[in-house]
């Protein structure tokens, strides 16, 4: 099998190019492509064919990782729509949003310093709920409204929340050790 490496990630998996995604279909398509292109299946072929299979497998994995997470999928959709990665990464945010970030960080830091697992778990739950709301908002901006500027702002917010989630996860893991 040969994979058309010029396809966008959605087309590669036979999925519609939209934010809301059937994750089961993505997983199924990824598994089918990985099974067909895995380098081990091509070990008996000449070196150039093995190299091509490796490139295909890498592209498939890159596409899967990008589409699997909502924040990277949203960034990819914005880039497909012509928005530059620099525009998506701008640090221009409203002062109230900066204040919210500061409050979240302080709460996580205080709980971590106090070895307060319960508070960290409560923060993780609050964050999960907030992220779900932001993802829903982002889906509307990208799939229905096609408001790329608003979506870019929401992606920046989701990137912060995702980073915060990682910080909470790391704090909880450190306290478990």
């Amino acid at each position: 099998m040969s994979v058309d490496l010029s396809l966008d990630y959605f087309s590669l998996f036979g999925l519609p190019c939209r934010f809301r995604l059937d994750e089961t279909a993505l997983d199924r398509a990824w598994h089918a492509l990985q099974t067909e292109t895995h380098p081990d299946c091509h070990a008996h072929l000449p070196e150039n064919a093995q190299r091509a299979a490796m490139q295909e497998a890498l592209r498939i994995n890159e596409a899967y990782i990008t589409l699997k997470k909502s924040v990277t999928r949203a960034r990819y959709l914005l880039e497909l729509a012509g928005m530059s990665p620099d525009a998506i990464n701008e640090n221009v945010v409203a002062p109230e949003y900066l204040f919210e970030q500061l409050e979240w960080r302080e709460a996580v830091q205080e709980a971590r310093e106090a070895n307060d697992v319960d508070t960290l778990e409560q923060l993780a739950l609050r964050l999960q709920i907030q992220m779900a709301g932001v993802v829903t908002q982002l889906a509307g901006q990208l799939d229905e409204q096609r408001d790329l500027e608003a979506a870019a702002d929401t992606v920046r917010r989701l990137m912060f929340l995702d980073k915060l989630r990682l910080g909470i996860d790391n704090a909880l893991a450190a306290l478990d050790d």
Side-chain angles (χ1 to χ4, degrees):
M1 157 153 202
S2 180
V3 173
D4 184 352
L5 298 180
S6 68
L7 292 174
D8 69 74
Y9 294 167
F10 293 94
S11 298
L12 184 65
F13 293 117
L15 299 170
C17 188
R18 53 184 287 122
F19 182 75
R20 287 186 183 95
L21 191 67
D22 180 344
E23 290 189 30
T24 302
L26 173 63
D27 292 342
R28 195 176 311 122
W30 172 76
H31 184 45
L33 286 173
Q34 269 305 93
T35 299
E36 293 178 26
T37 61
H38 195 278
D40 289 348
C41 298
H42 303 280
H44 65 285
L45 296 176
E47 190 174 324
N48 62 342
Q50 289 179 28
R51 232 184 343 270
M54 177 65 79
Q55 287 177 327
E56 291 172 353
L58 289 171
R59 171 79 173 180
I60 290 164
N61 283 334
E62 175 184 314
Y64 178 75
I65 289 167
T66 298
L67 297 184
K68 189 72 176 168
K69 286 187 64 181
S70 56
V71 69
T72 53
R73 182 171 61 251
R75 287 175 54 93
Y76 183 67
L77 280 166
L78 289 171
E79 289 173 18
L80 284 177
M83 187 167 281
S84 77
D86 291 338
I88 299 167
N89 288 331
E90 286 179 353
N91 288 325
V92 179
V93 291
E96 59 272 3
Y97 177 60
L98 292 173
F99 184 71
E100 179 188 4
Q101 288 182 24
L102 184 61
E103 285 179 329
W104 271 106
R105 289 175 201 245
E106 286 176 355
V108 171
Q109 186 62 31
E110 287 172 10
R112 185 177 195 156
E113 288 172 359
N115 294 326
D116 189 345
V117 173
D118 289 338
T119 299
L120 285 169
E121 288 174 345
Q122 289 171 4
L123 288 168
L125 182 58
R126 262 185 48 214
L127 182 62
Q128 182 180 4
I129 292 166
Q130 187 170 353
M131 287 179 78
V134 172
V135 166
T136 299
Q137 177 184 12
L138 186 56
Q141 292 167 337
L142 288 170
D143 291 346
E144 283 90 37
Q145 301 152 9
R146 299 292 299 154
D147 187 344
L148 301 182
E149 292 300 322
D153 287 340
T154 304
V155 166
R156 285 189 283 275
R157 181 173 171 78
L158 189 57
M159 288 167 57
F160 164 74
L161 294 174
D162 199 42
K163 187 175 179 181
L164 181 62
R165 181 196 50 77
L166 182 61
I168 292 172
D169 290 348
N170 288 341
L172 285 167
L175 294 178
D176 282 344
D177 291 343

